[in-house]
Each structure stands twice: as C-alpha cells, then as structure tokens.
C-alpha cells in the first residue's frame, strides 16, 4: 500500500529533489501498471484534494497530447523525434487519455477543452523544441475556448456546442496550414517504423542462427529434403551467410532478382521473363515479406518447393 504519492514528469528535477525530500527512499510506479481498483483509489485521492478547494463549475480541464511531428524555425521543414522519444510520446498519451476519461466522469459538470486534431509542435516555441510545445494556433484555440467558458453567457449544453465548433474550426485551419508537414511527417514515421521493424526481424533471425544451432538445422533440412540444386529469391543480407554455408554442399543455379544481372558469379533472372529453371528448392531471403513472395512465385504455376529461410532455422 502506498502511503503518500506525487506525480512528476521532469526527471532532472526529481534527481535534485531526492537528497532533500526523499531521505527515506521512494518507489517509482506507472499508473498503467495499476489494476482498476488501485488506479481508482489514487485518482480519487487526487481528486478529493482538488474538490476541497473548488467545485466542479470552477474547474477547466485542458486536454494535452504529446505530438510526434513539428516544424523548424524556418516553417519549412518537418522534424521528428527518435524512437526512444516516440515510445515516451505513446506512453504519455496512454496515461493521459485514461486520466482525462476518469476525471471527466468524476468531476461531473467541470468545463473541459478537448485537444483538436492536426496540432504539431514548433521548434520556434518560447521554450524550444518539445512534444508539448505547440504551434501558435493551439494557444489561440485555448485562449478562445477559455473565453467561451468564462463568459458566463452559455448554459452547459450551449458551451459544449460552442467548444466543439471551435475545436473543429481550428483542426481544419491547422490542416490547411500544415497539411504538407503533417502528411510528410506521417510518411516519415511510417518509413522509419518499417525500417526499424525490418532491421529487428533480421537481427532476431541472426540471433536465432547463432544461439539455436542454425548451421546444423539448415544442413539437416537440406539433407532431409535431398536438396542438391537450389535457387534464391532476392539478395537480402542473409544470402551471404547461406551461400557460404551451402558452398560445397548445394549448387546455387540462379537467383531471382531484377535489379542486377549477377551476384557473386551467380546468374540473376527476372521473375516472369521465363519459366523458372528446375531446382530442388527456392529459398526466400526476404523474411519480412516471405508470405507475399511465396504467393507471387506460385502465380507462375511452378512446382518447385518454396521455403522462407527463417522457417528452416
């Protein structure tokens, strides 16, 4: 049972506070690790402190989200964050989404300003680059939203309608202004994510080879299937490993590869240019897209057995 708690995002500040405030020690916990009952217990304690000082109608809850994409000082180029910060962004937003939902339910009648779509960060922000340092339009939006809340001329339902209209207006405005940055940034992260996942798949494959007697498994497979002549699809990195291992054991008759004519003295042919010369097996070196490649090869009605290299070892 936690006797007392506090929340803090700034780790540098925490390190400064430790010698002065936590001589008895402390324990870090992630609210996402709590079961529902524990989460509600501590959120209720936090909200009780707030409710002792204010009633719901005096509270304005402003929703924040960490953003992935930003613009540079020149307002021309898009910038992004490294993978570590991307993970921090993801976890921050998960925690905050859970918290906002709970607080809105518990502080029934409080005013809340939702986070509009298409917000990006701004490297030219007063406090420089940061996942919570937004473009000027977000601050204009919040300023206008607070004016609606504090005007005292709308009942609760009318206020929600006005705030919703304002949110959509600014979302559309930012899309029109930053459309290229947003779409360019999303494509950038999509490519980076795909590249990272591809590299991780190959890294895991090599670890499996090294730690799981990969050489022996490959040789045993070849012997069991009585493979003496083979072909490869693609010249992905693992082909070097396989060619070295098969040397003196299996003849590599050709490689299905359209971008080059030969590889390590082996002829490369383009899929579809001719019927595939008969071999005992085709090995796919692209372990990320092997299922799609198998389907593609089979469209040419070949009877040659096809194997993805990571299925063997």
């Amino acid at each position: 049972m936690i006797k007392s708690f506090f929340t803090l995002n700034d780790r540098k500040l925490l390190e400064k506070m430790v010698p002065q405030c936590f001589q008895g020690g402390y324990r870090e916990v992630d609210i996402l690790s709590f079961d529902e009952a524990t989460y509600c217990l501590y959120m209720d304690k936090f909200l009780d402190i707030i409710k002792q000082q204010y009633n719901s109608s005096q509270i304005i809850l402003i929703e924040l989200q960490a953003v992935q994409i930003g613009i540079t000082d020149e307002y021309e180029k898009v910038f992004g964050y490294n993978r570590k910060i991307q993970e921090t962004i993801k976890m921050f937003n998960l925690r905050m989404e859970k918290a906002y939902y709970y607080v809105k339910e518990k502080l029934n009648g409080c005013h809340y300003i939702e986070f509009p779509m298409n917000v990006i960060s701004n490297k030219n922000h007063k406090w420089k680059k940061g996942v919570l340092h937004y473009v000027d339009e977000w601050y204009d939006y919040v300023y206008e939203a607070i004016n609606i809340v504090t005007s005292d001329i709308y009942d609760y339902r009318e206020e929600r309608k006005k705030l919703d209209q304002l949110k959509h207006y600014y979302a559309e405005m930012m899309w029109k202004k930053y459309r290229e940055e947003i779409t360019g940034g999303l494509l950038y992260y999509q490519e980076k994510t795909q590249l990272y996942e591809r590299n991780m798949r190959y890294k895991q494959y090599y670890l499996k080879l090294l730690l799981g007697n990969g050489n022996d498994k490959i040789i045993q497979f070849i012997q069991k299937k009585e493979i003496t002549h083979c072909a490869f699809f693609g010249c992905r990195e693992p082909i070097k490993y396989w060619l070295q291992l098969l040397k003196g054991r299996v003849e590599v008759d050709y490689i299905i590869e359209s971008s080059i004519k030969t590889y390590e003295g082996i002829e490369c042919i383009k899929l579809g240019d001719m019927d595939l010369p008969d071999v005992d097996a085709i090995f796919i070196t692209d372990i990320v897209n092997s299922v799609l490649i198998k389907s593609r090869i089979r469209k040419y009605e070949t009877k040659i057995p096809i194997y993805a290299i990571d299925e063997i070892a």
Side-chain angles (χ1 to χ4, degrees), residues 106-225:
K106 287 291 181 175
L107 294 180
N108 189 31
C110 77
H111 311 277
Y112 59 93
I113 299 170
E114 295 178 333
F115 196 81
M117 294 178 64
N118 306 321
V119 178
I120 59 177
S121 65
N122 180 9
K123 197 174 181 180
N124 202 36
H125 190 281
K126 180 179 179 180
W127 296 306
K128 306 302 178 185
K129 179 180 175 181
V131 298
L132 299 176
H133 298 167
Y134 310 124
V135 288
D136 293 345
E137 287 78 9
W138 182 83
Y139 299 95
D140 294 338
Y141 160 70
V142 172
Y143 176 79
E144 289 191 45
I146 290 174
N147 282 341
I148 290 173
V149 170
T150 57
S151 65
D152 291 329
I153 60 175
Y154 306 110
D155 62 27
Y156 189 75
R157 182 173 293 185
E158 289 173 329
E159 178 187 295
R160 290 303 326 146
K161 184 178 178 180
K162 287 284 185 182
L163 290 174
D164 197 51
Q165 289 172 343
L166 187 69
K167 181 183 71 173
H168 288 295
Y169 170 78
Y170 270 92
E172 186 176 353
M173 177 203 296
M174 286 184 281
W175 173 251
K176 288 178 179 178
K177 185 171 182 178
Y178 302 117
R179 181 174 181 172
E180 289 185 10
E181 288 82 359
I182 293 167
T183 52
L186 291 175
L187 287 172
Y188 167 81
Y189 278 117
Q190 186 180 24
E191 290 170 2
K192 291 282 282 186
T193 300
Q194 288 173 346
L195 179 62
Y196 174 81
E197 290 173 352
R198 175 181 289 277
N199 289 341
M200 284 301 296
R201 287 284 296 275
Y202 283 106
K203 182 179 179 181
Q204 290 164 0
Y205 174 70
Y206 284 124
L207 284 173
K208 190 169 72 169
L209 284 177
L210 292 170
L211 303 177
N213 300 319
N215 286 11
D216 294 341
K217 289 179 181 178
I218 293 170
I219 293 167
Q220 288 168 11
F221 179 87
I222 288 167
Q223 291 172 343
K224 182 180 178 181
K225 298 293 184 180

Side-chain angles (χ1 to χ4, degrees), residues 6 8-22 26 28 84 129:
F6 74 103
L8 189 67
N9 283 326
D10 191 330
R11 181 160 294 280
K12 289 182 180 178
L13 180 59
L14 174 61
E15 290 169 357
K16 289 179 182 177
M17 292 170 62
V18 167
Q20 303 171 31
C21 306
F22 302 102
Y26 70 95
E28 289 187 40
K84 185 177 179 181
K129 179 180 175 181

Side-chain angles (χ1 to χ4, degrees), residues 42-58:
Y42 289 108
M43 285 297 288
D44 287 345
K45 283 187 175 184
F46 174 69
L47 293 176
D48 284 344
I49 296 170
I50 294 174
K51 288 190 283 188
Q52 287 171 11
Q53 301 178 61
Y54 309 99
N55 62 53
S56 292
S57 64
Q58 294 174 299

